[in-house]
Amino acid sequence: MSDYVLSDDTRNKLMRISTASVATALYKRGLRNQFIQGVQPVSWKGRNMVGQAFTLRYIPAREDRNPITVFRNADHPQRVAVDTCPEGWVLVMDSRKDARAASAGSILVTRLAMRGCAGVVSDGGFRDADGIGKLDMPAYHQRPSAPTNLTLHEALDINVPISCGDAPVFPGDVLLGDGDGVMVIPAHLAEEIADECSGMESFEDFVLEQVNNGASIIGLYPATNAKVQADFVEWQRREGR
């Protein structure tokens, strides 16, 4: 697990930042593959999901290893992951982008919510998706899937580097989810990305206001026109941003 600890200040900044802004900031640093492909909110909560990554890796199930009785084992990795994901963190599941069987269902996800976790992400599917969508905790998946995970998935490793939706996720990385999807922010970049993107969000609010007032995009976005730059400074002063 990373030594990095997400501060309340950085968490609060990220709660007001879009995945699009983070994607651009990471692209400037040469990181092009940090968006988890193919996932969406089970039910959009109208607010961001922010937390550090606690991971679970599935491999393809082999029938002789995954009878329904394996759930009687107290050390079953899926159950252990749900009961040990830290408060305020996000459980991230590598299901190999295979939604033909569920990564988890509403009972396990409810347990995460009751334990104070910040969210759950799978590049596969969830069963009982309607119940998961009614929880207050954000959840992201590919699509609903009724079959039990044992049909196709064997939970094997907890809190190791994984792939989720083709994005690399290391334990302790910072997950930011919004209505568009989920970005993975390397832990060592979380604070500077939060600071930079806070400014980007302010600028984009200014730009959108200008566009709604009929302004041309040329010279405005990006702000290559000196008057635009001066107008933005004045807008920041007026708006207290």
Side-chain angles (χ1 to χ4, degrees):
M1 187 179 295
S2 170
D3 291 333
Y4 175 76
V5 177
L6 178 66
S7 69
D8 289 341
D9 181 59
T10 299
R11 184 190 296 271
N12 289 336
K13 289 176 182 176
L14 290 171
M15 288 295 293
R16 300 189 296 271
I17 291 169
S18 70
T19 54
S21 291
V22 170
T24 299
L26 290 174
Y27 176 72
K28 291 176 183 176
R29 292 161 173 81
L31 298 173
R32 305 180 179 208
N33 190 37
Q34 298 304 118
F35 186 68
I36 296 179
Q37 298 292 333
V39 308
Q40 57 189 328
V42 175
S43 174
W44 173 233
K45 305 302 178 185
R47 68 179 190 281
N48 284 1
M49 174 191 75
V50 178
Q52 290 183 257
F54 188 85
T55 65
L56 174 64
R57 184 173 76 96
Y58 286 108
I59 65 168
R62 198 178 76 187
E63 289 78 3
D64 63 325
R65 289 176 54 89
N66 289 276
I68 196 70
T69 52
V70 298
F71 284 146
R72 296 176 182 174
N73 299 336
D75 59 353
H76 188 272
Q78 184 202 43
R79 268 49 177 178
V80 172
V82 167
D83 253 16
T84 57
C85 180
E87 181 180 352
W89 287 51
V90 176
L91 179 60
V92 188
M93 302 182 194
D94 172 6
S95 297
R96 310 177 320 284
K97 301 186 295 183
D98 192 342
R100 292 177 299 158
S103 304
S106 63
I107 292 175
L108 299 189
V109 176
T110 297
R111 173 63 175 159
L112 288 169
M114 294 300 293
R115 294 187 56 252
C117 296
V120 60
V121 180
S122 170
D123 61 1
F126 291 135
R127 66 196 312 199
D128 313 311
D130 184 62
I132 291 172
K134 291 175 181 176
L135 296 172
D136 190 51
M137 185 187 73
Y140 291 78
H141 71 162
Q142 185 186 141
R143 61 173 172 80
S145 183
T148 178
N149 69 315
L150 299 175
T151 309
L152 291 169
H153 306 307
E154 178 176 344
L156 194 69
D157 292 319
I158 296 173
N159 225 28
V160 298
I162 62 170
S163 168
C164 187
D166 292 327
V169 184
F170 291 82
D173 281 349
V174 178
L175 277 293
L176 168 63
D178 63 9
D180 286 349
V182 181
M183 288 295 302
V184 183
I185 307 172
H188 69 282
L189 293 175
E191 293 179 13
E192 66 180 77
I193 292 293
D195 288 340
E196 178 178 323
C197 289
S198 294
M200 288 171 60
E201 294 284 335
S202 293
F203 178 66
E204 292 191 357
D205 286 347
F206 162 76
V207 168
L208 190 58
E209 182 179 298
Q210 299 301 303
V211 170
N212 281 328
N213 288 333
S216 168
I217 206 69
I218 298 171
L220 172 64
Y221 191 68
T224 56
N225 184 298
K227 183 177 185 305
V228 168
Q229 296 170 13
D231 287 347
F232 177 52
V233 171
E234 171 58 25
W235 181 90
Q236 286 180 297
R237 184 197 64 76
R238 187 174 67 248
E239 298 293 323
R241 298 177 65 179

